[in-house]
Amino acid sequence: MTELNRYHRQMLLPGFGEDGQRRLLRARVLIVGCGALGSVICDMLARAGVGHLVIADRDCVELTNLQRQVLFDESDAEAGLPKAEAARRKLASINSQVRVDVIVDDVNHKNIERLAEGCDVLVDGVDNFETRFLINDVSVKHGIPYVYGGAVGTTGMTCVFLPQHAPQSRESQRALPGGSPQRAPDAEIRPALHATGCLRCVFDQPPPPGTEPTCDTAGVLGPVVSIVANHQAAETLKILTGNLDAVCTDIVHVDLWENTHRRFDISSAFARADCVCCGQRRFECLDGKYTSSTTRLCGRGAVQIVPPTKHELNLSVLADRLQAHGDVKANAFMLRADIKDNGRSYELTVFPDGRAFVHGTTDETAAKSVYAKYLGS
């Protein structure tokens, strides 16, 4: 019982007990993104005793993150530590019983299935729909619950998607980066799922880049991030402990400035047999259909980013959003903005079809990060 003493207050809760806590200790969870949402989620799951966390994030800690990203401090920003690694170090001092594997890389259609292998829940800590659609594909294809969340401005939204169970091999022992062994998902959790639909039943197509506000163009209130992330963490704990009747499969929307809290029943959307993902079981995102392409521009110190689908972008509206970040010039044919981003300077050139040049770096991952921050994806 010694290893469980630290969880005594949690084990007193209905639905937990010693059995529920031991389920948590056996569980493995993939958290995609360790920024605003992801850092809170990792913190809460580690403190709750989820035995194995896999954290994937491509970015490094920056000073402007500290307003809302609770696992990091000024020393992490000064050292420029990758967020996943900074999180691992903090979590080790919070709960040494928890194993943490980190992947400092861009999560994409080539690696996400390997990262998710053997996981019991996939948790969304990202800031773009391109990656969310990838998580959703993996969730449906492999029958892994997906806990969605998003926050921008003073608003936030969460939802849980429980896919049909899909059998997985228990013989797989492939290693994660760093030599961490894979394992099969918890048999107590997966076969008992009450299936819902998926993210694409609700959002059939990702919003085109540049059409929606991002945290870097509209700002974000720290407390709304914490509320959304803690709701995600709570739903994850319900799933892992087998309390599926308590899981909320409605969309939960909060606005802390307007003091509203709403729930939207989306069960009618789940009746769609024509859903391309969970209805037809076509995994377009894993096939790369919604993946942005990147190309280094030799001799120009820039990276070109081409979104997966063509669309007509309102450059005037985008220019208004970017005014706070530097000098912006726009006409009917292109927008050019000088972006100051945490001590680095970039020139962002955007065309009406969403194509962009990110000048000031030849690192494709860094360019994708800048694109996602200021245009979304």
Side-chain angles (χ1 to χ4, degrees), residues 272-315:
R272 290 183 51 216
D274 65 336
C275 173
V276 68
C277 186
C278 66
Q280 302 177 30
R281 296 192 66 81
R282 289 165 44 206
F283 305 113
E284 298 176 329
C285 303
L286 287 175
D287 292 337
K289 179 176 179 180
Y290 292 107
T291 300
S292 301
S293 65
T294 58
T295 307
R296 294 183 187 181
L297 302 180
C298 296
R300 298 180 59 182
V303 175
Q304 176 179 253
I305 298 178
V306 180
T309 56
K310 296 281 187 179
H311 64 280
E312 191 64 27
L313 183 60
N314 189 323
L315 296 180

Side-chain angles (χ1 to χ4, degrees), residues 139-186:
S139 168
V140 174
K141 182 176 179 179
H142 297 287
I144 311 173
Y146 169 28
V147 181
Y148 158 81
V152 67
T154 64
T155 67
M157 188 164 66
T158 64
C159 193
V160 177
F161 301 101
L162 303 176
Q164 294 282 354
H165 173 61
Q168 292 197 15
S169 168
R170 290 188 169 273
E171 274 65 57
S172 174
Q173 291 294 320
R174 286 190 299 163
L176 287 164
S180 305
Q182 295 283 6
R183 70 156 180 80
D186 195 329

Side-chain angles (χ1 to χ4, degrees), residues 4 13 24 30 40 53 58 65 90 109 123 133 165 180 198 204 212 217 227 246 264 297 299 352 361:
L4 301 184
L13 296 170
L24 291 184
L30 172 64
V40 177
L53 302 179
R58 66 189 177 193
N65 298 152
K90 292 294 193 305
H109 70 287
V123 189
F133 272 42
H165 173 61
S180 305
C198 74
D204 183 48
E212 297 291 328
T217 60
I227 287 174
F264 300 96
L297 302 180
T361 183

Side-chain angles (χ1 to χ4, degrees), residues 312-316 329-335 350-353:
E312 191 64 27
L313 183 60
N314 189 323
L315 296 180
S316 177
K329 298 177 181 178
N331 55 39
F333 308 101
M334 58 177 281
L335 174 151
V350 186
F351 299 92
D353 61 358

Side-chain angles (χ1 to χ4, degrees), residues 12 33 54 77 114 129 148 161 177 187 221-222 230 237 244 248 270 272 283 290-291 293 298 313 317 338 355 366:
L12 293 173
V54 181
R114 175 171 50 84
F129 267 86
Y148 158 81
F161 301 101
L221 186 69
N230 275 289
L237 295 177
L244 298 175
C248 179
F270 295 154
R272 290 183 51 216
F283 305 113
Y290 292 107
T291 300
S293 65
C298 296
L313 183 60
V317 171
D338 294 320
R355 182 170 55 93

